[in-house]
Amino acid sequence: MVEERLIIELTVLLLYIFLGTIGAIVGRKYGVKTSREYYIGGGRLGTFLAALTYAATTYSSFMIVGLVGIAYFTGIGSLGFELSYYIATLLLLAILAPIIYRKSRERSWVTPSEMLGDLYGSPRLAAVIAVIYFLALLPYSSAQLKGIGETIATAGGQGYYAWGILLGFTLILAWTLLAGIWSVAITDAIQGIWMIAAAVLLSGWLVWELFSNLHMTMSTVTSNLSKAGLLEVSPGQGFWKIPVFVSFTLPWLFFAVTNPQVLQRVYMPKNEKSLRGMIIWFGLFGLLYTVIVVLIGMLARAGGVALIPFNLQGKDSVTPALLNIAPLWISVIVFVSIIAASISTVDSIILSVSSSIGHDLPYDKRKISELSVAKTTIALMAIIVSGIAYLRVSYIVQLSVLSSLFLLPLLPPTLAGLLSKEPKNYNTLSWSSIVFGLLVAILLTYYVGVSNVFSREVLGLTTPVWVFIASWAPWILALNKH
Amino acid sequence: MKAGLFATLMTVILLLHYIIPYYVTHAPIDAWYWIADSTIAFILTLYYLFRGEQWWRKD
């Protein structure tokens, strides 16, 4: 039985690798010659690729592993938390995407850090932001690779952890270096479809298992969840009290404009019709995927010990537990979808951060070609994140959740730069936002401890709220003075 | 539709998502509330993407 399982797991994993590699090779036909082609596909992506690469990059393995666990333990508030991000992203994309898109065409932007540097007329700002991207997203990328190692170790045994890291490292390098964004976008499309198909299969099986095999009814499911206080969020009660909800949500609300890997995707569609299509299909994907993922966690909880007859060790253990009891084929497809979700996120991050490093750090571009710097940076980043993941330090996962918190100080400069007519007048304010916001983020994280950032209050407010306030404070002070 | 109106409506939807029920109505929130709230946000976005001042003029 164990051997049969291993053979099927390997077969489906090989199928996934085969499909992805074919997709990456297909990407080569687009003929990547310039850095603009390499990083943003020359702005020639159609709706299908643009939407699926946006969705697959946005939704990491946090959804199918982390959010399932959060829904299981904390209930329906997890849906509210994730859908807050969803609504904010729709708002930001609908309003800012056309502005970013048109300016990126006029000004030939390739990287998100270049966008800010150009808006404020400061190449130094672009270089500093490239370094911030690198540092903020390094733990996040390492955590994704660690997730691949843990997934492989859960399936095959602890001895396979390093093989999981090696697999992730190889796929990232191969799928990124083959044709840059073309191979990343095509593999993202395949992985996005795989991710949502796997979530639909797992939720469908859970419905079948609860209602058919365990003979539960809708009223027993709702009554089980209701008794645990998980079906509703009552103000002031349970896990999702306002400070927790706000501190969980705040860094993610602005993800679409603070995280380079998604911001850069707005440059990529071939025309405004494709850009609109990208937002619409991302909207459909996001709503469906979020609801299904939370449903999985809630149904698993409703099944109780009749469904999962062993103790769960924390929120990240719910999905692996489900994979242990689900039918083999579904389990294997979901197992590969976890790897797909991690790879599709981390290769996009590495490509995007490398583009900023290669494009916006000062060096003599007449002597060294930008494309060779980009490829070297990709290889270096892949080695670094794999190395960190290989060390298997537990605090990497904790650090990774701070990525959006550390990118939050980029919000005021981004919004002001895009919406103001003369952003160059606000150069000093932008620097102040970044310096002040980062300083508060680092000091408070050190003071409350990495694991308490979203829960422990300092002077009545949690760290994300303080970082948000600190980032906007220079602008508010300047406005008052004016 | 003007960008300002769209942004205001979406912000109201976002506030209705949790802050207003929490501080004003004190009513418990369930899954259907959040799904309805987000679906309305999606439909409004669709409308804006086809009829919004920033979108309809260039196709």
Side-chain angles (χ1 to χ4, degrees), chain A residues 43-71:
Chain A
R44 292 191 287 141
L45 264 64
T47 302
F48 177 78
L49 277 187
L52 278 172
T53 189
Y54 195 96
T57 299
T58 297
Y59 293 117
S60 68
S61 56
F62 164 76
M63 294 292 282
I64 197 69
V65 180
L67 192 61
V68 166
I70 294 176

Side-chain angles (χ1 to χ4, degrees), chain A residues 76 80 83-84 86-87 90-91 94-95 98-99 102 232-233 235-236 240 242 245 272 275-276 279-280 283-284, chain B residues 3 6-7 10 14 17-18 22-23 26-29 31 34 37-38 42 45-46 48-50 54-55 57-59:
Chain A
I76 205 64
L83 287 178
S84 303
Y86 171 79
I87 297 171
L90 288 180
L91 167 62
I95 296 280
I99 299 172
R102 283 166 200 158
E232 289 180 341
V233 171
W240 293 102
I242 200 83
F245 193 91
E272 291 193 19
L275 179 66
R276 180 167 63 193
I279 300 171
I280 294 170
L284 282 171
Chain B
F6 171 73
M10 286 293 275
L14 204 51
H17 199 70
Y18 197 65
Y22 197 96
Y23 283 114
H26 308 291
I29 313 167
W34 273 318
D37 184 55
S38 305
F42 179 64
T45 305
L46 269 184
Y48 184 72
L49 289 175
F50 285 96
Q54 290 171 288
W55 288 93
R57 62 189 173 88
K58 276 190 180 183
D59 263 343

